[in-house]
Structure formats: C-alpha cells, structure tokens
Amino acid sequence: MSIEDRFVEQIKAGYEKKISDLKKLIRISRDFNATLEFPILIESILFVFMGHLRLLQVGLFIRDQFDQGDLSLYRNYRGFQIDHRVDYTLKGKSPFMRLVQEQACPCTLEELTTLLPAGEDSLTVLEKLTPGLIVPLTAKNTVMGILVLGQGTPPGLISPEILEQIRIIGPFAAMAIYNALLYEMAITDMMTKLRLRHYFLSSMNESFEKASRDKSSLSLLFLDIDHFKAFNDSHGHSCGDFVLIKVADLIRGSIRRGDIAARYGGEEFTVLLPETDSKMALLVAERIRRKISQEDFAYEGETVKTTISIGVAELETERDFTSESLIKRADTALYQAKEQGRNQVVLAQ
C-alpha cells in the first residue's frame, strides 16, 4: 500500500470513528429524553456513564426541586459503600457549589482540595465516597446534579477522548434532569409534595384499563382529615397547613414506590394501589389511619392531634365499567366512614 493510500485510510478511519461517536451520542441523548419519570431517568444516566467508563461505582447528587439549593445523594447509586450515619448532602451555598458552578468541568477530589478551604463540609462528604472523578451537570446556568465516578478508572488513565465525551454527555444529562424537574413541578402539589388531582385521574384511567385488560387487582383509597375546618378555626391556617404537610408525609411513608398518592383537594387525599386486592388495601389504609391518629404534631411549641377517615374500594369488573365508578365507590365508603363516627376505615360494599 502506498503512502497516499495509507494516508487516505487513516483519514477514513478517523471519520468513521467520529461518525460512530456521534451516533453513540445521539443514542444517549435519545435515551435521556425518552422519559420524564425521575427514577427511570436517573437509572439511565448512571448506566450510561458506567458503560462508557466501565465503572462499578457511580452515584448522583441531585436536587429534588428547583427551589432547593442543596443536593443529596440519590438512592439509586451503584457500587459505593454507604455509611448510613452520614448525611450525604452538598449544601447549595457552600464554597464547593460556587466553585463547580463557575468551572462546570470534571475534576478530581485532589484538585478540589487545593481550591477549597480546609474543612469544607462538601469535601468531607465527598471523601466518604473516595471518587475518582467529580462531574458537575449544569443546565440553564444551574448545577442540576453532581455525578461522582468511582476509583475503578483513575483519572490519569481516562483518555482525552473519554473526558471529551463526559463533557459532551454531561450537558445532555443535565438538561434531561432539568426537563424532568419541570415535569415534576407540573404534576406535584407544592405544599404536600404529593401528586396533583389531574395526574391522579390520568394515572387512574391508565391503571383501570390495565387492570381490566390483565384481570389484575386494583384498589383505591379516599382519605379525608376529620373536622379539618374546625381544626383550622381553632389552631389557625398556618397550623392547618403544617398538619396537611405532615399527614402527606405519613401517607407517603406508608405506601410502596409504585403506588400513587395525590392531594385530591383541600384536606382530601387519594392513594392508587396497583396489583393490590381489598384485603391488602385495608391493611395499608389501617396502617395510615393508625399512624396519623398516634402522631403528635408539634407546631410552635404546641402539640396537636388529628385523625383521618378512609374509604377503600377494589376494582370489580362486573360493576366497575369505568374508572369513575371505582372512584365513586371509594368516595361513598369514605362518606360512610365519616357518618359512622370518623377515624376509621370502611370497605366499599
């Protein structure tokens, strides 16, 4: 082969590699934007970086909301040994966050140590993970997340090409997180952090169709805080808002990840329980009722109590021809619980 032919082959190979890299980046971008569901998106981001760098350790510090400056280690980390006594939170107003906001480029822990004051809290948190590389994910001039890559591939052994890919993939991931947070805001009640009514109704229709088609179980809870208007009149609306938030927390902590809890309106809540029959739904409802009745709500030095009534209904295909029928039966059961004295669970008959 002549020198000219070898030169042409080298140029051709170079272009083929660039085309291959571009196709790979397009696939990654498509994967990141295929969903707005937070857990699925974070899994996708972590696995993409693991695959590209052949790592066994990867984690992501992320903000839960736009108005939250602090970043916390998301639960779907991979490979890191976590000390559950440690609060893995990077403070939004720390020198570390200001630095990564300004630089917005991958760096090592050693580099950060030379640039930040000794004893910086964020450095202490990161040192617990012993990361090989720290990658800020920035979109719209805001740090949406901090990716930590394990020591499996030391920074010195990462090629310039791989680092360049990290710099390219990072903004894709950051923008996907930004869009997912926007979506979260659109479907989430800002006070209770539960889903909004319109999201619940949409999910209800989808779950109803799936359960009817697959002949699987589906149950629904309707919940209402007892005497809430009188509670507001006695303790004030600020205290009422505090109790709403705490009740929502107790509901959220009593259900599975795949269940959907929503604020239906005012002091009324709903919980959608896929793959759940009435027997299990009653157990969930009773667990929620008991937790709330036993809770001491401490507000401004005062302890207040409240209770909740719950109606439960399971999908019965011979009578529930629409999702509205199931909703109506759960709501009727709730009304019966209140009529029978409140602070109790009633199963729709």
Side-chain angles (χ1 to χ4, degrees):
M1 182 182 292
S2 66
I3 295 177
E4 291 82 1
D5 290 338
R6 284 199 298 270
F7 182 67
V8 170
E9 286 298 317
Q10 289 174 355
I11 293 177
K12 182 181 176 182
Y15 276 114
E16 287 177 346
K17 185 180 184 306
K18 287 183 178 180
I19 292 170
S20 175
D21 290 343
L22 285 172
K23 286 181 177 178
K24 190 181 299 180
L25 291 174
I26 291 170
R27 285 198 303 272
I28 290 169
S29 177
R30 187 168 58 241
D31 290 344
F32 285 169
N33 290 282
T35 180
L36 291 171
E37 294 291 338
F38 230 77
I40 300 173
L41 172 62
I42 301 306
E43 284 281 301
S44 176
I45 291 171
L46 295 180
F47 280 123
V48 163
F49 279 94
M50 287 177 73
H52 265 64
L53 298 184
R54 299 181 181 179
L55 291 174
L56 297 177
Q57 294 174 306
V58 62
L60 183 60
F61 287 83
I62 196 166
R63 62 180 70 207
D64 293 330
Q65 304 149 31
F66 269 110
D67 58 355
Q68 180 175 309
D70 297 347
L71 276 68
S72 300
L73 182 64
Y74 197 74
R75 62 180 178 268
N76 289 8
Y77 55 84
R78 289 284 181 269
F80 287 111
Q81 295 298 315
I82 299 299
D83 184 347
H84 293 285
R85 297 168 297 179
V86 175
D87 180 13
Y88 291 94
T89 298
L90 305 174
K91 298 298 182 182
K93 294 184 179 180
S94 64
F96 166 77
M97 288 299 293
R98 287 195 294 271
L99 178 65
V100 296
Q101 176 80 47
E102 293 169 1
Q103 295 194 352
C105 61
C107 55
T108 66
L109 190 60
E110 290 73 19
E111 289 170 339
L112 287 175
T113 303
T114 63
L115 297 172
L116 292 172
E120 157 67 7
D121 289 344
S122 297
L123 284 178
T124 303
V125 172
L126 291 169
E127 284 169 355
K128 298 288 184 181
L129 299 173
T130 61
L133 199 65
I134 299 158
V135 184
L137 303 179
T138 305
K140 304 290 185 179
N141 297 317
T142 302
V143 177
M144 305 307 302
I146 300 291
L147 191 72
V148 286
L149 307 178
Q151 293 280 12
T153 303
L157 298 182
I158 297 178
S159 68
E161 291 80 9
I162 292 295
L163 283 173
E164 182 62 23
Q165 286 193 22
I166 291 175
R167 292 189 181 96
I168 294 172
I169 297 171
F172 286 149
M175 200 64 207
I177 295 171
Y178 179 88
N179 290 334
L181 282 174
L182 280 179
Y183 178 67
E184 284 288 308
M185 289 181 65
I187 64 174
T188 303
D189 175 60
M190 289 297 102
M191 177 187 289
T192 63
K193 302 302 184 285
L194 299 182
R195 295 309 189 202
L196 289 169
R197 177 173 176 162
H198 71 81
Y199 180 87
F200 158 74
L201 292 173
S202 174
S203 300
M204 178 72 197
N205 288 332
E206 291 178 8
S207 297
F208 179 87
E209 293 296 331
K210 182 178 186 301
S212 299
R213 182 180 64 250
D214 299 344
K215 298 187 179 347
S216 58
S217 301
L218 175 67
S219 292
L220 177 64
L221 312 185
F222 258 59
L223 313 90
D224 192 87
I225 299 177
D226 297 325
H227 301 296
F228 192 68
K229 184 179 184 303
F231 183 94
N232 270 339
D233 292 341
S234 300
H235 300 283
H237 287 278
S238 294
C239 183
D241 290 347
F242 170 80
V243 168
L244 279 173
I245 294 169
K246 293 301 180 182
V247 165
D249 288 342
L250 291 171
I251 292 172
R252 189 185 301 107
S254 302
I255 61 177
R256 303 165 302 185
R257 183 183 298 182
D259 302 331
I260 298 173
R263 187 181 182 188
Y264 199 70
E267 69 276 15
E268 193 171 20
F269 304 92
T270 59
V271 178
L272 185 61
L273 301 169
E275 305 289 341
T276 305
D277 60 19
S278 59
K279 183 178 179 180
M280 290 302 300
L282 284 169
L283 292 175
V284 174
E286 179 59 28
R287 180 165 63 242
I288 294 171
R289 186 207 63 79
R290 186 174 60 253
K291 279 186 177 182
I292 292 171
S293 67
Q294 294 174 350
E295 181 75 11
D296 292 325
F297 297 92
Y299 179 75
E300 294 186 349
E302 179 185 7
T303 298
V304 296
K305 303 286 287 186
T306 193
T307 59
I308 198 165
S309 299
I310 307 176
V312 180
E314 181 185 1
L315 171 63
E316 298 178 11
T317 53
E318 68 275 8
R319 70 165 74 179
D320 295 319
F321 300 111
T322 65
S323 60
E324 288 79 7
S325 171
L326 181 57
I327 290 173
K328 183 176 180 180
R329 291 201 299 115
D331 193 36
T332 299
L334 169 61
Y335 179 79
Q336 291 171 348
K338 300 181 88 64
E339 284 288 296
Q340 294 171 15
R342 295 180 167 82
N343 188 26
Q344 59 185 273
V345 177
V346 170
L347 175 65
Q349 300 299 320

